[in-house]
Amino acid sequence: MQKALLLFILLGCSSLATAQNRYFVLFKDKAGSNFSLEKPSEYLSSRAIERRNKQNISISTNDLPVNQSYLEILKEGGAEVLFTSKWLNGAVIEIDKNDLNTVLGYDFVKGLEGEYSNGLEGPNARRKPNTKDYSYPVFFDAGASTDQLQMLGADVMQNQGFTGKGVLIGVFDSGFPNAPNLDVFQNLFNEDRVVETYDFVNQEENVFNDHYHGTHVLSCIAADLEGQMKGTAPGASFLLYTTENVFSETRMEEVNWLIAAERADSIGVDIISTSLGYSNFDGKEQDYTYSTLDGNTALITRAADLAASKGILVIASAGNEGNDPWKFITPPSDADSIISVAAVNSDGQYAAFSSLGPSVDGRIKPEVAAKGVATTIASPNNLIGAGNGTSYAAPLITGLAAGLRQAFPDLTAMELRDIILKSGSQAGQPDDKLGYGIPNFLRAYEMANIQSLISSTDENILVFPNPAENTDFIKVLIANEELGNSFELSLSNLSGQELYRETFKRNYFELPLLQEVRPTGTYLLKIWNENFSETKRIFIE
């Protein structure tokens, strides 16, 4: 896949070690921009534009790059511009604190999003107390990843040819050391399916010399070593971005995530997978509280929802805080338009360390679950081992989503999200541990087919197959959602004899072909409620 050539403003790559004062300055407008909504190809790839068009998402003002003249004025005033954000319309700068008031006095400056540490290791830094790593490298027999694929039906998905081919996934993590040299990734790199890499912490392209966590995570999706390990989407393409600084915990990492998401959007990413969460920081004054899990407060949460608004499916680990005093999900899992993922063991039972919901405003969180206990992973030392954590459950779901995206390329990201949730093992009774439960490819595949049927018809009711031959069921779909959600159904022969009657409270129903209707012939299927009544002829062959 050819790498997109886009406007990507990453300025000021001088030594981070000397950075002292970092601020996210917001602008009032994009007046006088060199770019326009009428020429999106100047700042979005054709793939990004196509994704929007398919989902009827308009190019909007927050897609426009920030005003270049504003950046020049900032630099003339002594600021070093590190990143720009088109979605929030601002820039991350480094400047002496004594000169900050001058910047805030510019007539185009709206104010500050925040002040940030540069995130380097120091005497007050703490090494990720809220991101636990339970990995333990061990040797496995061939096919150690089989059960985590089977749990989701991903083995069936791949047998049907859906490996995520053509789907672009952005993985945001702490680094991917030695990934190009690992056996499980040889197909990935030999086929040039790593489209781009970038380290937003150190501002460099190399992501293969950082922290091992991202390598573990990537293997859950992309591993492809026959007989030993397969990820859930071994045929997908990837953007590999380092946004997490493991040597400390600061809100700058949320900024890194935002900028990475904007970059991934511009290239044309389909899915963002992130096994990162933020609640506690160096310096307690910036810690989030449960009351801030409202889907609108944390910067990374807002960034995740903005990505979703561009037609990107965002999948995040729920967190490993279930046994801790915090115990709840961590941002960005509280975002309302993404999928947050809990962990279960090989028996599908809740893992005690998995973070709990709901969000503070009562939304179901996490949404789904996958194997996060003794999950098969690949390590930078070229061993296949195991690890515990929602960090590994989330990428397993990401691969499932990629296979479904390949199978149903016309679904919107929100339709795909909805289908994955509804395919969950406890979709009828979601809870604050596993949400809608463990999703399954075959259930999701059938639902996606139904969604496609609904989108392609103007009829109120669809009955199929019709004529029916060599089948034990006739499927009935109420395609018009305005008709309600509770229906009566009766099946009669042409003599008026009622052979079958049922009440159902959903828009999809499988009518068993009982012995009474086995004979070849024509029958009348009546469906009604207080809003409507309709009769269909069905033919049994």
Side-chain angles (χ1 to χ4, degrees):
M1 186 180 297
Q2 185 177 2
K3 295 183 180 180
L5 297 177
L6 301 169
L7 180 72
F8 185 30
I9 303 173
L10 287 175
L11 303 174
C13 297
S14 60
S15 172
L16 291 177
T18 59
Q20 295 297 322
N21 299 286
R22 188 172 288 190
Y23 305 94
F24 195 160
V25 178
L26 300 177
F27 303 146
K28 292 180 179 178
D29 54 46
K30 292 184 177 179
S33 172
N34 297 328
F35 302 93
S36 69
L37 299 179
E38 289 70 33
K39 296 181 179 179
S41 60
E42 294 181 350
Y43 47 88
L44 294 174
S45 72
S46 58
R47 185 182 178 111
I49 295 170
E50 180 184 6
R51 187 188 66 234
R52 286 165 167 76
N53 290 339
K54 271 188 170 183
Q55 302 185 52
N56 295 315
I57 297 172
S58 300
I59 309 295
S60 61
T61 302
N62 70 3
D63 288 310
L64 296 173
V66 300
N67 192 315
Q68 290 292 301
S69 64
Y70 295 168
L71 302 180
E72 294 302 320
I73 294 172
L74 289 176
K75 288 189 284 187
E76 291 171 3
E80 181 179 6
V81 179
L82 300 176
F83 300 112
T84 65
S85 170
K86 58 184 179 181
W87 289 351
L88 297 189
N89 191 24
V92 179
I93 65 172
E94 283 184 352
I95 193 171
D96 189 283
K97 193 168 188 175
N98 295 327
D99 296 327
L100 180 61
N101 286 335
T102 300
V103 169
L104 295 177
Y106 293 143
D107 59 5
F108 60 85
V109 171
K110 179 180 179 180
L112 287 180
E113 167 67 27
E115 177 179 354
Y116 305 95
S117 160
N118 60 17
L120 293 181
E121 190 168 16
N124 297 318
R126 58 188 180 190
R127 190 180 180 92
K128 302 306 292 173
N130 66 321
T131 304
K132 300 177 180 61
D133 179 6
Y134 298 91
S135 304
Y136 47 97
V138 296
F139 288 103
F140 281 94
D141 294 330
S145 59
T146 300
D147 66 336
Q148 62 203 46
L149 299 181
Q150 290 177 339
M151 181 179 289
L152 303 173
D155 56 331
V156 176
M157 180 177 78
Q158 292 179 21
N159 288 338
Q160 292 187 8
F162 303 119
T163 63
K165 183 177 181 181
V167 179
L168 184 58
I169 300 172
V171 181
F172 299 2
D173 215 281
S174 61
F176 309 86
N178 206 34
N181 301 313
L182 300 188
D183 292 341
V184 296
F185 296 139
Q186 286 310 293
N187 290 337
L188 173 65
F189 286 94
N190 289 342
E191 295 168 11
D192 198 28
R193 287 187 281 113
V194 175
V195 175
E196 182 177 79
T197 64
Y198 198 80
D199 180 343
F200 289 83
V201 177
N202 297 303
Q203 299 181 24
E204 62 183 15
E205 292 185 5
N206 186 10
V207 298
F208 302 125
N209 60 349
D210 297 315
H211 189 262
Y212 56 82
H213 187 264
T215 300
H216 293 174
V217 167
L218 179 63
S219 70
C220 294
I221 313 171
D224 190 11
L225 187 58
E226 191 67 34
Q228 296 190 45
M229 181 181 182
K230 274 190 176 289
T232 43
S237 299
F238 293 87
L239 307 173
L240 303 182
Y241 292 155
T242 297
T243 64
E244 165 69 19
N245 184 346
V246 299
F247 294 109
S248 62
E249 191 80 316
T250 74
R251 289 195 180 183
M252 186 63 205
E253 292 161 82
E254 297 183 79
V255 178
N256 294 340
W257 200 101
L258 165 69
I259 305 305
E262 293 186 19
R263 173 61 179 170
D265 166 47
S266 297
I267 291 177
V269 76
D270 299 299
I271 303 170
I272 291 174
S273 182
T274 184
S275 292
L276 303 170
Y278 298 95
S279 58
N280 299 325
F281 297 93
D282 298 343
K284 290 286 188 180
E285 68 279 358
Q286 290 194 325
D287 286 0
Y288 290 123
T289 64
Y290 180 66
S291 65
T292 59
L293 297 181
D294 57 2
N296 299 303
T297 299
L299 176 61
I300 193 171
T301 298
R302 286 180 280 143
D305 272 340
L306 281 166
S309 76
K310 304 302 178 183
I312 301 167
L313 181 63
V314 180
I315 299 174
S317 57
N320 301 329
E321 316 306 318
N323 287 324
D324 292 352
W326 168 271
K327 81 177 181 178
F328 296 110
I329 57 171
T330 52
S333 283
D334 62 313
D336 59 19
S337 299
I338 74 166
I339 298 177
S340 60
V341 185
V344 296
N345 63 20
S346 58
D347 294 324
Q349 301 301 309
Y350 167 73
F353 60 77
S354 187
S355 290
L356 301 171
S359 63
V360 71
D361 52 335
R363 286 175 287 116
I364 295 295
K365 288 287 180 179
E367 280 89 354
V368 297
K371 187 178 179 183
V373 177
T375 309
T376 302
I377 57 173
S379 298
N381 56 7
N382 210 24
L383 293 177
I384 294 176
N388 296 347
T390 60
S391 285
Y392 308 134
L396 292 176
I397 296 294
T398 296
L400 174 67
L404 288 166
R405 163 59 68 222
Q406 179 189 357
F408 299 95
D410 294 329
L411 288 176
T412 68
M414 292 306 292
E415 287 171 342
L416 181 55
R417 175 185 183 273
D418 187 56
I419 286 167
I420 291 173
L421 269 55
K422 287 181 177 178
S423 77
S425 57
Q426 54 185 45
Q429 294 181 307
D431 60 29
D432 59 5
K433 291 182 176 179
L434 306 181
Y436 296 85
I438 302 168
N440 177 270
F441 169 74
L442 285 178
R443 290 194 297 265
Y445 188 86
E446 184 172 45
M447 291 177 184
N449 272 323
I450 291 171
Q451 181 67 46
S452 297
L453 286 171
I454 291 174
S455 301
S456 63
T457 184
D458 294 327
E459 296 187 41
N460 287 329
I461 298 172
L462 294 176
V463 180
F464 54 96
N466 190 17
E469 182 180 11
N470 298 324
T471 181
D472 293 327
F473 295 93
I474 290 179
K475 300 175 182 181
V476 180
L477 172 66
I478 311 299
N480 185 347
E481 295 180 354
E482 296 180 358
L483 297 180
N485 54 22
S486 181
F487 308 94
E488 299 288 331
L489 177 148
S490 70
L491 181 68
S492 305
N493 60 26
L494 292 181
S495 300
Q497 179 186 9
E498 187 176 271
L499 306 173
Y500 182 87
R501 188 181 182 111
E502 182 66 85
T503 299
F504 57 104
K505 296 184 178 181
R506 54 190 182 277
N507 73 332
Y508 174 70
F509 183 78
E510 291 185 345
L511 170 68
L513 293 183
L514 304 177
Q515 189 63 39
E516 291 82 353
V517 297
R518 289 292 184 184
T520 299
T522 302
Y523 298 84
L524 299 178
L525 180 67
K526 181 180 178 181
I527 303 173
W528 74 96
N529 63 13
E530 66 275 11
N531 299 319
F532 85 112
S533 177
E534 189 166 327
T535 300
K536 292 276 189 179
R537 286 178 178 264
I538 61 174
F539 305 94
I540 311 296
E541 295 183 349

